[in-house]
Amino acid sequence: MSMSNHRRLGVLYGSCHTPLHRPRVCFLLSLLLTLFPHTARTQDDDFVWFRCDACSATFFQINRTLTARFGERRMRSPGTLQTYDFIEALEDICENTFTKKDFGVKQFEGRKYLFGPGVPDHIPGKGFGQMGMGDYDKRLAAYCRMFVEDIGGEEELMKVYLRAGQINKTALCRHECSSEASGTGSTFKVQSIFDNDDDDNDDC
């Protein structure tokens, strides 16, 4: 993709902040800008650990929500959880749980770090945090969808949940959290969900 096309995408995405934006189009633009973040240099370029944090936040939110919605049903009647209920829950999680009320940005020495539910603190006791600045919430929502697809989609994730009774974010995000590389590039590799039976369980 040429740099001129990159810039056009950035300009188009800017229109998503107006009352005339179209949600579906804006989501597709958000996805493209996440895959090719050099389309438009923004304040988000200073993030570190963003890919790791997005992965951790994604599977933490998924695990917490699934446990709240289906945990008791899974234990009492294991065969009653329907695929369409599970898929609907995942769509709701990616669409609605990554808000600026719950997630924010901490800055320290010119670098930015995400904070919020399920996100590890890479600089404990340092930096100052704020909420509401930038488009990190849209990027998180886009990453959520991509990580779900990367491990095989909703039905594959459902198999893991039914078998293990939880979604282990530490095991799933081992590769993504192996370095501080930010949310750049288009290569995604989530740790195989079938290699994690011996990993410690995460808290919900």
Side-chain angles (χ1 to χ4, degrees):
M1 185 180 292
S2 68
M3 284 304 296
S4 60
N5 286 333
H6 288 167
R7 295 190 187 96
R8 291 190 188 100
L9 280 176
V11 172
L12 285 171
Y13 185 60
S15 67
C16 291
H17 301 286
T18 72
L20 299 178
H21 78 278
R22 299 175 64 184
R24 183 177 296 276
V25 173
C26 290
F27 165 69
L28 292 174
L29 289 171
S30 173
L31 194 62
L32 286 170
L33 287 169
T34 301
L35 289 170
F36 304 101
H38 50 294
T39 55
R41 304 299 291 178
T42 69
Q43 58 184 330
D44 287 345
D45 294 335
D46 297 327
F47 269 109
V48 290
W49 293 106
F50 194 90
R51 183 179 302 206
C52 168
D53 295 342
C55 185
S56 298
T58 290
F59 292 115
F60 176 86
Q61 294 286 67
I62 288 175
N63 184 60
R64 182 167 68 174
T65 302
L66 294 180
T67 300
R69 291 191 186 184
F70 307 126
E72 186 174 343
R73 186 198 304 185
R74 189 192 66 83
M75 293 182 65
R76 291 186 177 181
S77 306
T80 61
L81 179 57
Q82 301 297 316
T83 303
Y84 60 82
D85 287 332
F86 192 86
I87 293 175
E88 184 178 89
L90 291 182
E91 290 176 348
D92 181 58
I93 292 166
C94 291
E95 183 70 26
N96 298 312
T97 63
F98 298 100
T99 70
K100 291 181 178 179
K101 292 182 180 179
D102 296 314
F103 292 89
V105 179
K106 186 159 63 169
Q107 300 189 51
F108 181 68
E109 294 184 343
R111 309 174 95 185
K112 296 180 180 179
Y113 304 80
L114 188 72
F115 69 84
V119 177
D121 189 351
H122 304 285
I123 50 170
K126 299 178 181 179
F128 65 93
Q130 59 183 350
M131 304 171 106
M133 300 296 291
D135 294 333
Y136 59 89
D137 56 328
K138 296 180 178 63
R139 293 178 65 188
L140 282 171
Y143 269 111
C144 178
R145 295 180 178 92
M146 285 187 288
F147 284 134
V148 169
E149 289 302 316
D150 198 61
I151 65 172
E154 295 93 339
E155 294 185 7
E156 200 65 50
L157 192 60
M158 182 175 174
K159 292 178 184 177
V160 176
Y161 175 69
L162 291 176
R163 186 184 67 175
Q166 69 160 359
I167 303 299
N168 190 326
K169 71 178 177 65
T170 302
L172 286 172
C173 298
R174 183 179 294 117
H175 175 82
E176 300 300 328
C177 292
S178 62
S179 77
E180 68 174 30
S182 186
T184 58
S186 57
T187 301
F188 294 86
K189 178 182 178 183
V190 180
Q191 184 72 25
S192 172
I193 52 182
F194 294 110
D195 295 334
N196 302 319
D197 288 341
D198 297 329
D199 287 301
D200 293 334
N201 294 341
D202 286 333
D203 293 332
C204 296

